[in-house]
Amino acid sequence: MNEDFIKYMLEQENGALLAGNTSKLLHDSPEGGTKTFGFGHKLTAEEQRTGKINGKPIKQMTRDDAIALFREDLAKAAERAKVKLANGVKSDKYGVAKADWDQLSERQKAMLTDFEFNVKNGIKAFPSFTYGVVNNNQDIMREEYKRSFTDAKGRTRELARNKAFSDLFFAPPMQAAADPEAQFMLDIAPDLKKPTNDLFVNPLLQGGGLVSAEDPEAQTFMDTATNTPMKRSLKPLQNVQPYDNRVTEVNVPAKMTGSPPITSFMGTPLPQAPTPAPVPAPVEEPKNIWRDSEGRPIRDRFGGYIYSGNY
């Protein structure tokens, strides 16, 4: 599973422990009940009674043990979500969300795994959000993603991680996703081309390169971005052939990087400036020729020079 997603999950489950505060290895669960160990591992009744997890005493477990356990728990959550989607998750508002887990994008898998891990009953507790994710419907996702919990006193509170989730998965895509000029700037500064969490922050760049307006997922996202310049910048790409929605050859002008000039964009040849005609080298005139009163060479009827002496 993507390491940036795992880091995000570790920070949300127990940021203090991730930063090195081992006093947070075992702590009370906000919703009450058994304690929570490490990064979101709510102890079973048996684990709390025996004081052991997988046969190892909890008092002897370290931060690294907690991270290893978290990875196991996260993999189990992904597997549960996979099974649930195969059987179908029913939303009263939108219908049944059913999908082949292996056909989902990394971004879709990450969002669903987050909910399956963090929420009681997992994605079945958020069927409308699950429907939105499976169908790449950004409007539904944004409307249905917020989580809350009921504390030990019966008070319902919104989770602070809602903002982190939104920042990670719903942040606007980079302008270069649809702007050739911005793409050229990224070619000059390759560090900007692949942000560490580009699988999640940037749904338009999941496969790398540019995305045309023919891409339905990209278009669905852009339809939600009515106040951004990116919707406008997609328009020049409307005539791109559907089978060719990635850059096949884009180079920065030679004067900027030393590379060959741009020859095509997304498979379409670009107009090239005409090659200037070569400037003829100046012809050096002989010194011993006759000249008129203004210094111009005197020529014979055949156009040749008239020399004043031996040559």
Side-chain angles (χ1 to χ4, degrees):
M1 198 167 286
N2 183 276
E3 290 300 315
D4 290 307
F5 170 61
I6 290 177
K7 181 181 178 182
Y8 151 80
M9 289 291 290
L10 289 169
E11 289 175 343
Q12 298 310 308
E13 294 297 333
N14 197 336
L17 177 59
L18 185 63
N21 185 352
T22 55
S23 68
K24 299 298 182 179
L25 264 173
L26 188 64
H27 53 277
D28 292 332
S29 301
E31 70 280 4
T34 60
K35 291 182 178 293
T36 295
F37 173 78
F39 300 92
H41 182 89
K42 190 173 178 64
L43 298 180
T44 65
E46 179 68 12
E47 288 172 339
Q48 182 148 298
R49 184 184 67 80
T50 62
K52 295 181 179 180
I53 298 176
N54 295 334
K56 186 172 183 176
I58 295 175
K59 292 183 179 180
Q60 296 178 14
M61 296 180 75
T62 65
R63 173 178 173 275
D64 289 342
D65 291 328
I67 292 176
L69 178 62
F70 165 78
R71 287 178 177 271
E72 293 177 12
D73 289 345
L74 196 65
K76 291 176 182 177
E79 188 61 29
R80 291 196 303 271
K82 178 178 180 178
V83 172
K84 290 177 181 178
L85 281 183
N87 294 326
V89 176
K90 184 180 179 181
S91 165
D92 292 336
K93 290 175 66 176
Y94 301 106
V96 177
K98 193 171 186 178
D100 180 349
W101 182 265
D102 295 330
Q103 297 302 312
L104 298 178
S105 70
E106 290 302 310
R107 177 174 177 258
Q108 290 170 305
K109 291 177 183 177
M111 287 192 284
L112 294 172
T113 300
D114 182 340
F115 273 68
E116 185 64 34
F117 180 91
N118 177 252
V119 178
K120 184 178 180 180
N121 295 325
I123 59 176
K124 281 194 172 183
F126 282 78
S128 295
F129 173 77
T130 300
Y131 182 94
V133 173
V134 169
N135 291 279
N136 275 320
N137 189 310
Q138 303 290 331
D139 288 334
I140 295 177
M141 282 188 257
R142 288 172 180 271
E143 183 179 349
E144 303 288 347
Y145 78 94
K146 289 186 177 180
R147 286 167 272 186
S148 60
F149 75 98
T150 302
D151 63 19
K153 295 183 179 181
R155 295 172 297 188
T156 300
R157 299 184 179 184
E158 183 176 325
L159 294 184
R161 70 190 296 156
N162 286 337
K163 182 180 185 306
F165 184 90
S166 176
D167 290 343
L168 182 63
F169 293 106
F170 299 144
M174 295 167 64
Q175 177 73 5
D179 189 337
E181 293 181 8
Q183 181 66 39
F184 296 159
M185 293 304 298
L186 292 184
D187 288 338
I188 298 171
D191 292 344
L192 298 178
K193 184 172 292 185
K194 291 186 177 181
T196 56
N197 57 349
D198 61 350
L199 288 178
F200 311 111
V201 169
N202 197 351
L204 296 187
L205 289 180
Q206 288 180 36
L210 306 187
V211 178
S212 80
E214 300 292 340
D215 186 322
E217 181 177 351
Q219 193 61 54
T220 298
F221 185 88
M222 295 312 302
D223 288 342
T224 69
T226 55
N227 296 321
T228 70
M230 289 172 292
K231 190 176 182 70
R232 171 193 56 75
S233 60
L234 272 175
K235 292 182 180 178
L237 306 184
Q238 293 286 352
N239 61 351
V240 176
Q241 296 181 1
Y243 62 82
D244 182 12
N245 67 348
R246 301 287 175 183
V247 171
T248 57
E249 183 180 358
V250 175
N251 291 315
V252 182
K255 65 181 181 179
M256 302 175 78
T257 67
S259 63
I262 302 163
T263 59
S264 67
F265 174 67
M266 299 183 77
T268 303
L270 296 177
Q272 302 297 313
T275 304
V279 179
V283 178
E284 185 177 353
E285 296 177 344
K287 295 181 179 180
N288 54 339
I289 59 175
W290 288 100
R291 299 177 181 274
D292 60 20
S293 60
E294 295 182 0
R296 293 173 296 192
I298 299 176
R299 300 176 183 268
D300 59 24
R301 62 192 182 91
F302 300 106
Y305 294 112
I306 300 176
Y307 291 85
S308 59
N310 295 331
Y311 53 89

